[in-house]
Each structure stands twice: as C-alpha cells, then as structure tokens.
Amino acid sequence: MMKRLFGAAAAVLLLAGSLHAMQAGEIIRKSQSAFLSQGEDFKARVVMKLITKDGKERLREMTMLRKNYTGGEQKYFIYFFRPADVRDMTFMVHKYPGRDDDRWLFVPAINMVRRIAAKDKASSFVGSDFSYEDVSGRDPEEDAHELVREEALNGRDCYVVKSTPKAGDMDWSHKLTWVDKENFLPLKEEYFDRRGEPYRVFTADEVMNVDGFPTVTRRTMRNLRSGHRTEVAFIKTEYNVGIKDSLFSERFLRRPPKRWIE
C-alpha cells in the first residue's frame, strides 16, 4: 500500500515538474515574440549612450530596421549616423530558428564587409554593454527554462524564469527573466557568471504603446563588475512600414537607401 502511495506521489511530482517546464518554455517563447517580433516589420531611430562608472558619455545613433518572415525567420538592418568614426557603418542579421544566425558588418573606413562568426555572438555590440546576440535575440530552444516564482516588479505582476544554456558555450551560467504577465515583455534580466554571481543586468525602463503594440522604448544594460552601463532610447518608432526584402543584401550594406535609413 505504501509503495503504491509513494509511486502515485512521485508520478504527480514528475507531472508537475514537466508541466512547469512546459509553462516556462512557453513564457519565454511568448516573451521573445512580444519583445522582438511584433508586427510585420519595424523601424526605429535609436540613440545609445555608453556611460562609464564616473559618468563620461559616448553616443551612438542609428536606424534599426527589422522584418519578420513565416517560420520565425527575421532579418535586421542597422545603419550608424554617429559618431563620425562609425558613420555609414552598417550591420545586418539573418536570424533562423534552430540554427546559428548569419551576421555581417560593413566597415566604411576599410570598405569591407566582415562576416561575424557565430562564436562571437556574445561579443560587445559596437563597444556597448549589449552583445550582438542581445540585439537580435537568443533562440529560446538554446536554453532549458524553469519557472522559479511569480512576483511583482515595479507594480507589474511577473513570471520569473530561470534559463540555463544547454550547450554550456556562453560566459553566463544562467539568467533570470522577469516577464510581464499581461504583455509578456521582459522587464528585467539578470545574468549570472560561472560562480553564480550576478554580473550583467538588463532593465526595460519605459514601455509605450506604439501602433497598438506594447514596446520597450527605453532600456539599460548594466555591467555590475565595471560599473559601465548602456542606455538605449527608441525614437520615431513605427510598425508595418512595408520594408522590402531587397534591403537585406550585401549591396545595400555598402549603399543603404536613404528612404529607409532616414
């Protein structure tokens, strides 16, 4: 009798654990979609401030364009206006679910298009505290997800999900994500190093309704080790502007059409 009760209890616990895992994965997939895939396409003027521990600032200003495709594929195109040493630089991503993304960077100073290797996805994006992968998003299937708790953050009810890389090829051991229960936007992410110490924190500082889509229009990434942070503001943000497929090509990396970058 006791064996049967123990077996039944174990089965219930296993089922509950499995259900939690499914819920956590679904939460992260919905969060990625709400954060990075809304609308048919997207355009924004982006101002990025790189701020040192003692308050010194450097600016980056760019236009970001994104188009979504069936099956979860996406393409990104970014053009840099300033500072002068990066003006006319362009960055392009072809993002695929289930495999590594393709990334290219055109550097006008040497008139060269450079392919960014998949292993460099965690490298700094133009000297900021964001990585290349942060810009276009991480495939949710690369991590194992666990719903660890539910709690309020700045007055918003959130799921808190722990994500652990399956391949162990990242410089972080796991991260915690606070996902808004209502619109599924990520409001905060904490990245932990191999010793289990938090060292990088993302916060969504402003959420606005743009063309009917809740959108994170101000965000910050903080490096807790160096005290450096990067603040990003999305201005002139638009959805469903009719971006053409032809934009996402090496030809336009070198000569981006004014219509789309201004």
Side-chain angles (χ1 to χ4, degrees), residues 5-242:
L5 288 173
F6 180 78
V12 169
L13 286 173
L14 284 173
L15 178 61
S18 174
L19 186 61
H20 248 201
M22 286 192 292
Q23 288 175 340
E26 186 62 19
I27 290 166
I28 292 299
R29 281 188 286 277
K30 284 187 175 182
S31 180
Q32 285 276 298
S33 178
F35 191 38
L36 297 167
S37 304
Q38 297 189 104
E40 295 178 1
D41 57 34
F42 171 80
K43 179 181 180 182
R45 190 73 166 239
V46 179
V47 177
M48 180 180 278
K49 287 183 183 178
L50 285 61
I51 306 170
T52 64
K53 184 178 181 180
D54 56 5
K56 293 179 182 175
E57 294 185 4
R58 289 182 295 154
L59 284 182
R60 303 270 188 265
E61 185 169 351
M62 63 200 85
T63 289
M64 174 185 286
L65 299 138
R66 183 196 71 216
K67 185 167 185 175
N68 301 325
Y69 293 83
T70 55
E73 291 190 12
Q74 290 183 301
K75 294 180 180 178
Y76 287 76
F77 190 100
I78 297 176
Y79 172 83
F80 289 83
F81 289 94
R82 59 173 177 159
D85 62 341
V86 298
R87 183 173 177 82
D88 294 332
M89 191 168 75
T90 48
F91 174 63
M92 182 168 66
V93 181
H94 290 188
K95 184 175 171 61
Y96 315 100
R99 67 181 177 94
D100 289 333
D101 303 338
D102 292 322
R103 298 180 175 88
W104 299 265
L105 186 71
F106 172 63
V107 184
I110 55 176
N111 193 29
M112 180 180 289
V113 174
R114 185 166 69 91
R115 185 80 176 258
I116 298 173
K119 63 182 177 58
D120 293 331
K121 61 186 178 183
S123 300
S124 167
F125 177 69
V126 293
S128 75
D129 296 287
F130 290 88
S131 67
Y132 286 107
E133 187 176 65
D134 292 330
V135 174
S136 53
R138 181 172 171 81
D139 189 337
E141 306 310 318
E142 290 188 84
D143 304 325
H145 307 288
E146 177 189 359
L147 178 60
V148 293
R149 60 183 181 272
E150 299 175 25
E151 66 183 20
L153 178 68
N154 300 327
R156 305 289 296 182
D157 290 333
C158 293
Y159 300 107
V160 183
V161 178
K162 178 181 179 180
S163 300
T164 304
K166 294 175 182 175
D169 59 343
M170 302 301 292
D171 58 359
W172 46 277
S173 62
H174 69 276
K175 70 174 178 179
L176 294 178
T177 305
W178 281 255
V179 179
D180 190 309
K181 285 186 176 182
E182 184 176 330
N183 56 32
F184 283 90
L185 288 173
L187 300 185
K188 181 180 178 182
E189 291 177 332
E190 286 185 352
Y191 291 79
F192 293 77
D193 62 19
R194 296 285 174 191
R195 296 174 301 174
E197 299 292 331
Y199 74 101
R200 209 163 67 107
V201 178
F202 164 90
T203 53
D205 306 320
E206 180 183 78
V207 176
M208 297 184 69
N209 190 308
V210 179
D211 299 333
F213 300 107
T215 303
V216 179
T217 49
R218 291 185 182 274
R219 63 195 70 184
T220 301
M221 186 70 85
R222 289 180 171 79
N223 186 318
L224 302 182
R225 292 171 179 158
S226 66
H228 196 277
R229 72 181 188 276
T230 300
E231 297 179 354
V232 178
F234 280 52
I235 54 179
K236 299 181 184 176
T237 305
E238 302 172 88
Y239 287 94
N240 300 334
V241 293

